[in-house]
Amino acid sequence: MRNATRTETTRALLLQAARDEFAEHGIAGARVDRIADRAGINKQRIYAYFGDKEQLFRYVAVQALDELSAAVTLPDDKDPAAYVARVFDYHRSHPEVLRLLLWESLHYGNTRLPAEEERTALYDAKVASLSEGAAEAGCADTRRLLLTLIGLAVWPQIAPQITRLVLGSDSAVDAEQERLRAFLVDFTRHALRR
């Protein structure tokens, strides 16, 4: 039992260190030595537990998206505007997740992702939840709506420099972030009434 606990602790330390490293440097720029140093673990443990650096990134990305998917669900009333608020709040509190997704995008482009089927299933579940009560569950328009809602919510965190240029130098201040969040929620409600 003691060895199993030590193994779990080692894996957790390596995954957190890798998450930080990949968020800062991307897949190509991340270094196994730095990950091991951050975790305080021999780098050979990385290879033993995860294989190569790309496989380690896969574990990190899947773990981050599982956490996101569990934390950000559609509200019980299926209100898309409330979903936008939840996505906005999550990424504001967890900017490293967006950084991981952006690095992944730069690395893989539009090619097939590791664990793509499992990840697609997470979005399929959100589409099904969003389309509950609709005549055509999971239709293309519902998928487009989900993508649009996510885009609205994450753009200010993805491009903070554009947010600052458009909104002004106070765009990162909590009060301005709350006003932006309220605007996005209001915008979504009005857009979907049409």
Side-chain angles (χ1 to χ4, degrees):
M1 183 71 169
R2 191 164 179 228
N3 283 338
T5 302
R6 191 173 340 152
T7 297
E8 289 174 24
T9 301
T10 301
R11 285 176 60 90
L13 288 169
L14 287 170
L15 283 170
Q16 184 57 55
R19 186 176 185 147
D20 295 341
E21 177 75 9
F22 286 128
E24 286 178 32
H25 302 284
I27 299 171
R31 298 289 173 257
V32 172
D33 290 349
R34 285 195 305 245
I35 294 169
D37 287 346
R38 281 178 186 232
I41 308 289
N42 183 304
K43 77 176 181 179
Q44 294 308 315
R45 293 291 91 212
I46 293 172
Y47 299 112
Y49 293 141
F50 304 105
D52 62 13
K53 184 171 69 168
E54 197 154 330
Q55 287 299 315
L56 177 58
F57 181 81
R58 175 184 176 265
Y59 279 95
V60 168
V62 168
Q63 182 185 53
L65 290 174
D66 284 347
E67 291 168 13
L68 167 64
S69 187
V72 181
T73 58
L74 276 145
D76 291 338
D77 63 1
K78 310 300 182 221
D79 177 15
Y83 179 70
V84 166
R86 287 180 177 186
V87 173
F88 182 92
D89 292 342
Y90 185 85
H91 288 295
R92 188 171 157 206
S93 300
H94 301 87
E96 78 283 358
V97 174
L98 279 176
R99 289 184 58 84
L100 289 169
L101 291 171
L102 290 170
W103 283 117
E104 178 183 66
S105 177
L106 289 170
H107 185 77
Y108 290 105
N110 198 28
T111 62
R112 194 156 184 77
L113 298 170
E116 186 158 331
E117 294 80 18
E118 295 91 343
R119 292 171 66 179
T120 300
L122 296 173
Y123 290 107
D124 288 346
K126 290 189 187 310
V127 168
S129 182
L130 187 60
S131 66
E132 271 181 20
E136 206 177 333
C139 73
D141 283 344
T142 305
R143 290 180 179 283
R144 289 183 191 100
L145 174 60
L146 178 63
L147 182 62
T148 301
L149 296 175
I150 293 168
L152 277 171
V154 302
W155 181 252
Q157 281 81 21
I158 286 175
Q161 76 283 17
I162 294 174
T163 302
R164 182 179 46 77
L165 292 170
V166 172
L167 297 180
S169 62
D170 292 340
S171 64
V173 175
D174 284 342
E176 182 56 39
Q177 286 288 305
E178 289 304 314
R179 284 191 289 276
L180 177 57
R181 178 187 186 274
F183 176 83
L184 293 172
V185 167
D186 226 25
F187 177 84
T188 302
R189 286 206 171 103
H190 289 302
L192 292 177
R193 277 192 208 132
R194 294 182 184 173

